Amino acid sequence: GAGVSQSPSNKVTEKGKDVELRCDPISGHTALYWYRQSLGQGLEFLIYFQGNSAPDKSGLPSDRFSAERTGGSVSTLTIQRTQQEDSAVYLCASSFGTGKGNTIYFGEGSWLTVV
Amino acid sequence: RKEVEQDPGPFNVPEGATVAFNCTYSNSASQSFFWYRQDCRKEPKLLMSVYSSGNEDGRFTAQLNRASQYISLLIRDSKLSDSATYLCVVNLNYGQNFVFGPGTRLSVLP
């Protein structure tokens, strides 16, 4: 596709259930990012993948959160044993990687509601 | 000190007004700078990159002052459609994530 594609766009889940969110980056982009944004708040960095390098997981809020990126393309963010405070929009973004002028493009997000 | 700080806002201005947003960053090694726009319940979208010499795109002008570690965005002749949150973004250019400021919300009033 032309842009970053995320699914599902909306997910309502019960507290304690696991959820998987998927991101398909722009073709040719080697860097992939996950951010979280709670209602009315700023962007919170979660995790970053660059090519075949080890991901930067420094933003993951707890060990209930994990992400993987298979084949250097599609990524899945998994939240185990969801809690109500996990309710937010999860934004995936991609870029060509490093380099001056490199810019980041976002998907439309996956809106997660934990009830 | 936060890595990227912005005017707290919100800014409420009448149509046609000129409004300026300020942003400061803490890491002097930062190399790339951007302004993004985020509409309510939408994803952030690139508004413009910020170049050392300053740059203009229609009604929007961005300035960078590396010595002061300061970035600005000027919007002239504000339109209702300019209402959004404006995010200052800094990249350190060594492969780490883009650092987003908290954003400044703008409401242009009729």
Side-chain angles (χ1 to χ4, degrees):
Chain A
V4 177
S5 178
Q6 292 188 243
S7 62
S9 22
N10 286 284
K11 175 74 175 178
V12 180
T13 191
E14 291 181 352
K15 179 181 172 180
K17 300 281 190 182
D18 297 352
V19 296
E20 285 190 352
L21 308 176
R22 175 190 166 102
C23 174
D24 196 348
I26 293 172
S27 178
H29 280 190
T30 59
L32 186 148
Y33 314 76
W34 282 99
Y35 290 86
R36 177 170 73 172
Q37 189 173 33
S38 300
L39 200 60
Q41 302 299 309
L43 287 167
E44 176 187 3
F45 166 73
L46 297 178
I47 188 169
Y48 162 78
F49 296 89
Q50 170 57 48
N52 295 320
S53 302
D56 176 358
K57 304 180 182 180
S58 59
L60 294 178
S62 77
D63 58 9
R64 296 187 295 106
F65 289 74
S66 62
E68 62 177 23
R69 188 179 185 191
T70 53
S73 181
V74 172
S75 176
T76 302
L77 176 69
T78 301
I79 309 172
Q80 295 178 309
R81 305 181 302 281
T82 51
Q83 303 295 313
Q84 288 186 327
E85 60 262 29
D86 299 334
S87 297
V89 58
Y90 290 80
L91 291 159
C92 178
S94 70
S95 73
F96 278 112
T98 60
K100 197 170 184 178
N102 180 36
T103 50
I104 184 172
Y105 299 89
F106 286 86
E108 294 185 347
S110 290
W111 292 80
L112 175 66
T113 303
V114 182
V115 297
Chain B
R1 181 184 172 188
K2 292 182 180 177
E3 291 186 75
V4 179
E5 297 191 69
Q6 296 186 238
D7 290 331
F11 283 39
N12 298 312
V13 303
E15 270 186 291
T18 295
V19 59
F21 300 131
N22 301 313
C23 169
T24 57
Y25 58 95
S26 61
N27 193 323
S28 60
S30 300
Q31 293 291 333
S32 304
F33 311 90
F34 310 90
W35 284 100
Y36 276 68
R37 167 193 172 130
Q38 186 174 26
D39 293 284
C40 187
R41 298 184 67 84
K42 297 288 188 181
E43 75 276 18
K45 292 184 178 178
L46 177 67
L47 178 65
M48 59 197 301
S49 301
V50 186
Y51 303 121
S52 296
S53 56
N55 48 298
E56 186 175 307
D57 183 1
R59 297 181 293 108
F60 299 83
T61 301
Q63 296 282 348
L64 168 64
N65 184 322
R66 286 186 184 271
S68 301
Q69 296 178 205
Y70 167 88
I71 307 160
S72 67
L73 176 68
L74 183 76
I75 305 175
R76 292 182 300 277
D77 189 22
S78 300
K79 311 292 184 190
L80 295 176
S81 57
D82 293 334
S83 297
T85 296
Y86 290 83
L87 303 167
C88 177
V89 185
V90 172
N91 185 275
L92 294 173
N93 203 37
Y94 56 79
Q96 298 302 308
N97 60 295
F98 289 73
V99 182
F100 285 76
T104 302
R105 187 157 60 86
L106 171 67
S107 293
V108 181
L109 308 172

